[in-house]
Amino acid sequence: MEEEHRRRPQSPATVHEVMESDGDSGTVTPTGHSRELAGYVPKSSPHSVAGSTPAASPRHRLDELDTLPAPPFRPMASELQHSPSLSDGIFPVAGHTPELDRQRSTASLIPRSGPSQLRPPPTPPKSPATPLSPATPKSPVKAFASWATSPLRSPLPSPLATTLRNMKEYLQELGHLTTIDPRDTWLPITESRHGNAYYAAFHNVNASIGFQALLLPLAFTFLGWTSGIVCLIIAFCWMMYTKWLLVSMHECVPGKRVNRYLDLVEIAFGNGIGKQIIVIQLLILLGGTCIGLITIGGSCLQLFFRTVCPTCQSPLTPIEWYLVFTILCALLSYFPNLNSVAGVSLIGATMAVAYTTLLWTLSVSVPRMPNVGYEIVSGGSALVTTFGILNALGMIVFAFRGHNLVLEIQATMPSTLKHPARVPMWRGATAAFALTALCYFPLAIGGYWAYGDKMLPGGILYSLSFFHGQDISRTLQGTTFMFIVVNSLGSFQVYAMSIFDMIEQVYSKWFDRKCNALLRLIYRTVIVFLCFLGAVAIPFLSTMAGLIGGLTNLPVTFFLPSLMYLKVVAPRPRSFSWYLNIGLGTFGCALSIAVCAGGVYSIIETGIKLNFFKPA
């Protein structure tokens, strides 16, 4: 019976039996029996008697309290952590078992050997009006954490989960959860991040198609029809793959955007001697391209004047024509960032497609020269022929340029988790691939068909002017020359912007501030005229295209991206991607050494007219 009474929940009448209300104050206070149960000891009664035993049940304790002296209330440490209220002794609480109640009752009535071992009565609870708390409440922080995270575990939507999801999407849209360097907003490459696929296509075409393409028919004279076409196709496909590698590695490091080619080199190879060598290669490639653009632009300005007015005496010397072109480049170099020259790149890319199309169209439209042969040009020995082939491979490699600007162009675009920058960048690069193929293959094949082994060392442009200058209208010839001038102006801005970015990056690290407009005006003018000085000092730079291509353009474009992909992305060993990049890196490195050797031998064999400071 006592067990059934212990398990049966108490009715509200039990509460009224032990509690009474103070009519004056309106508060509820414990009376008689409830005071003794709560630990109150009457002043007239002594402490508990030794040998007293606990009651069998709460009801039995209520019946015997009139005859027994009040025992002291000694709660255990675990009991204090649970609840010091009346609910532990009288009212059943969720989670309490009869055995637990019996142990607590027994522990509270343990007899003591003397009064000195008795504990003082505990302080009465301050709020006896709330004795039914089942457990100690959680702290506000834990309660909020539990409440905040529980909706995320549930598949049902909740306001908090929606808020957190929206906040996460906002952070992704804002910065792709990447670490943003404040100095990036000061530099010409990353100052503006509003680029798109169209800007990417303009910059890629403007950086890829240039005066190097004019040497492709000359390379065919050392390779022949079959070998020339096969090598051109392989180089084109190889170039597409390595550019895809660079685009995919733009966000290869979590929380960081790789904005420059040098940044990727540093991630892959560190700050050792490898990076220093690649820095030198990039500076030679950028500076050499700018010098070559001034040379070809000034020469085409002079040819344009001679074509328009053949009877007029040229009012300017070649150096002065170079200076005119340099002044035009300096005026356009004051655009603040790469996105701001998108219009210039559009015009330059249009002119590139236009003049390459005009050149091969005019070459095949006029009557072909008599006695044109297509035999491979040989020097009489196998060694000379071999080095001539290697020099021709260097010309083909040198025609595919612009990989050192891929990451810089991609850095001008916004990037989020939903809309990464690689998507519009690859769309623009694909459009540039299509236009490059439409320009390069007809130019190489048509030019070689028109001139064959009679191709001049200057390429198809000089061959067209020399052999068919009288057969083609001066308007078309002058238009072709002016298209080359405009394209050279646009290409110069894209390549020079990378040099400007390097200089301002060093300045911002040293002085921790943005380069002001006056300082930009000064140093950009100095850089442009230094390139002019190089064009005047080394006017024969175009005859070293094979050597320069093997030293700079071939590593940067063809095999360094594969090696960096192996270091940064680290594909699974012995997978197809691993074998492919290992093979391309090894073959590219060997080809670079061979092309450099071929370029050096060609220079030694044929000789170079070292007309320093005397451009023709």
Side-chain angles (χ1 to χ4, degrees):
M1 293 297 291
E2 292 179 357
E3 289 295 330
E4 292 183 6
H5 182 73
R6 185 185 301 273
R7 299 191 182 190
R8 185 170 64 244
Q10 302 296 327
S11 63
T14 308
V15 179
H16 293 290
E17 289 176 6
V18 297
M19 307 294 291
E20 68 178 3
S21 173
D22 189 352
D24 296 334
S25 61
T27 59
V28 180
T29 59
T31 66
H33 308 299
S34 61
R35 283 196 186 97
E36 295 164 336
L37 288 174
Y40 285 88
V41 181
K43 294 182 180 180
S44 58
S45 63
H47 290 289
S48 62
V49 180
S52 59
T53 57
S57 65
R59 178 60 57 186
H60 187 65
R61 290 174 63 186
L62 290 174
D63 295 337
E64 296 179 353
L65 279 176
D66 292 334
T67 58
L68 294 175
F73 182 73
R74 298 184 179 89
M76 300 176 65
S78 60
E79 192 174 1
L80 284 174
Q81 293 177 1
H82 174 72
S83 174
S85 62
L86 293 174
S87 59
D88 292 329
I90 298 177
F91 308 108
V93 183
H96 288 200
T97 61
E99 185 63 26
L100 182 60
D101 291 340
R102 188 182 301 108
Q103 293 176 3
R104 287 180 178 174
S105 301
T106 305
S108 64
L109 299 176
I110 296 176
R112 300 294 179 181
S113 59
S116 61
Q117 298 179 357
L118 297 178
R119 297 181 182 177
T123 305
K126 294 182 179 181
S127 302
T130 58
L132 300 178
S133 58
T136 304
K138 296 181 179 180
S139 64
V141 177
K142 292 183 179 180
F144 176 76
S146 176
W147 171 75
T149 55
S150 58
L152 300 180
R153 300 192 191 103
S154 173
L156 298 177
S158 66
L160 180 62
T162 304
T163 303
L164 294 178
R165 191 183 310 113
N166 293 338
M167 184 180 297
K168 180 180 178 182
E169 292 178 357
Y170 171 75
L171 292 175
Q172 292 170 353
E173 293 291 334
L174 181 65
H176 196 14
L177 300 178
T178 58
T179 303
I180 300 175
D181 189 354
R183 294 190 183 95
D184 285 344
T185 59
W186 303 344
L187 304 177
I189 297 296
T190 54
E191 185 177 8
S192 173
R193 292 187 184 269
H194 302 292
N196 50 46
Y198 298 101
Y199 287 10
F202 303 157
H203 292 316
N204 275 285
V205 173
N206 199 22
S208 299
I209 304 176
F211 66 92
Q212 296 92 336
L214 304 179
L215 299 176
L216 286 176
L218 179 62
F220 272 47
T221 60
F222 296 95
L223 299 174
W225 280 113
T226 304
S227 300
I229 295 175
V230 169
C231 291
L232 189 60
I233 292 175
I234 293 175
F236 182 78
C237 296
W238 195 353
M239 178 268 301
M240 289 178 58
Y241 176 71
T242 53
K243 183 170 285 191
W244 176 81
L245 291 180
L246 292 174
V247 171
S248 63
M249 286 188 288
H250 178 67
E251 293 172 311
C252 59
V253 179
K256 181 180 179 180
R257 294 183 66 177
V258 184
N259 298 320
R260 296 162 187 84
Y261 196 96
L262 277 180
D263 295 343
L264 185 60
V265 170
E266 183 177 352
I267 293 173
F269 304 114
N271 292 317
I273 187 64
K275 179 186 175 182
Q276 305 305 322
I277 294 175
I278 298 174
V279 168
I280 295 174
Q281 289 178 331
L282 287 176
L283 289 176
I284 293 175
L285 180 60
L286 292 171
T289 302
C290 290
I291 292 173
L293 288 171
I294 290 179
T295 303
I296 194 72
S299 301
C300 287
L301 276 177
Q302 186 178 13
L303 291 174
F304 174 77
F305 180 81
R306 290 178 180 176
T307 303
V308 174
C309 186
T311 59
C312 301
Q313 185 178 1
S314 178
L316 302 175
T317 63
I319 295 179
E320 291 171 341
W321 285 113
Y322 287 4
L323 182 61
V324 171
F325 183 82
T326 303
I327 293 173
L328 295 176
C329 290
L331 293 175
L332 292 176
S333 66
Y334 301 138
F335 283 96
N337 51 66
L338 188 57
N339 272 339
S340 62
V341 298
V344 178
S345 290
L346 171 61
I347 298 174
T350 305
M351 295 299 103
V353 176
Y355 82 73
T356 51
T357 304
L358 268 176
L359 283 176
W360 72 263
T361 303
L362 293 175
S363 298
V364 300
S365 61
V366 297
R368 189 171 55 171
M369 294 178 55
N371 301 323
V372 173
Y374 302 105
E375 298 293 331
I376 296 177
V377 177
S378 60
S381 64
L383 182 62
V384 176
T385 303
T386 301
F387 280 111
I389 292 174
L390 293 177
N391 191 36
L393 293 177
M395 295 178 189
I396 293 177
V397 166
F398 195 44
F400 295 101
R401 63 179 189 178
H403 278 51
N404 57 312
L405 299 176
V406 170
L407 294 174
E408 282 81 350
I409 297 171
Q410 193 170 354
T412 63
M413 302 179 183
S415 183
T416 63
L417 190 62
K418 288 186 177 180
H419 306 285
R422 67 176 179 272
V423 176
M425 180 63 190
W426 186 245
R427 291 176 182 172
T430 303
F433 291 151
L435 292 175
T436 303
L438 290 176
C439 295
Y440 277 18
F441 284 94
L443 182 67
I445 296 173
Y448 185 59
W449 178 85
Y451 303 105
D453 54 1
K454 298 183 180 299
M455 181 73 63
L456 297 179
I460 188 174
L461 178 64
Y462 294 98
S463 299
L464 178 66
S465 300
F466 183 80
F467 293 115
H468 299 291
Q470 304 298 327
D471 301 332
I472 302 173
S473 66
R474 298 188 180 275
T475 303
L476 290 177
Q477 293 185 46
T479 303
T480 303
F481 293 138
M482 185 53 60
F483 283 174
I484 296 175
V485 171
V486 176
N487 168 253
S488 299
L489 283 172
S491 298
F492 186 91
Q493 305 310 314
V494 177
Y495 280 89
M497 195 64 71
S498 182
I499 300 177
F500 300 156
D501 184 82
M502 290 181 183
I503 296 175
E504 292 195 23
Q505 194 173 11
V506 174
Y507 176 85
S508 63
K509 286 183 179 179
W510 283 1
F511 300 99
D512 197 20
R513 64 170 177 260
K514 182 179 179 180
C515 186
N516 56 43
L518 179 60
L519 191 57
R520 277 186 173 181
L521 178 66
I522 294 173
Y523 87 80
R524 292 190 180 190
T525 304
V526 171
I527 292 297
V528 173
F529 278 92
L530 284 177
C531 294
F532 163 74
L533 181 62
V536 174
I538 315 174
F540 51 87
L541 190 64
S542 59
T543 59
M544 303 170 62
L547 178 60
I548 295 176
L551 282 175
T552 61
N553 196 60
L554 197 153
V556 170
T557 303
F558 288 94
F559 73 84
L560 276 180
S562 296
L563 298 181
M564 289 189 290
Y565 185 82
L566 290 171
K567 294 284 291 185
V568 176
V569 180
R572 185 171 57 86
R574 304 183 185 279
S575 62
F576 175 77
S577 176
W578 187 80
Y579 279 116
L580 177 62
N581 288 282
I582 284 287
L584 291 179
T586 305
F587 178 72
C589 185
L591 182 63
S592 177
I593 297 174
V595 168
C596 290
V600 171
Y601 183 83
S602 177
I603 292 173
I604 295 174
E605 183 69 20
T606 60
I608 294 181
K609 186 179 179 181
L610 301 178
N611 50 339
F612 291 103
F613 295 97
K614 295 179 181 180

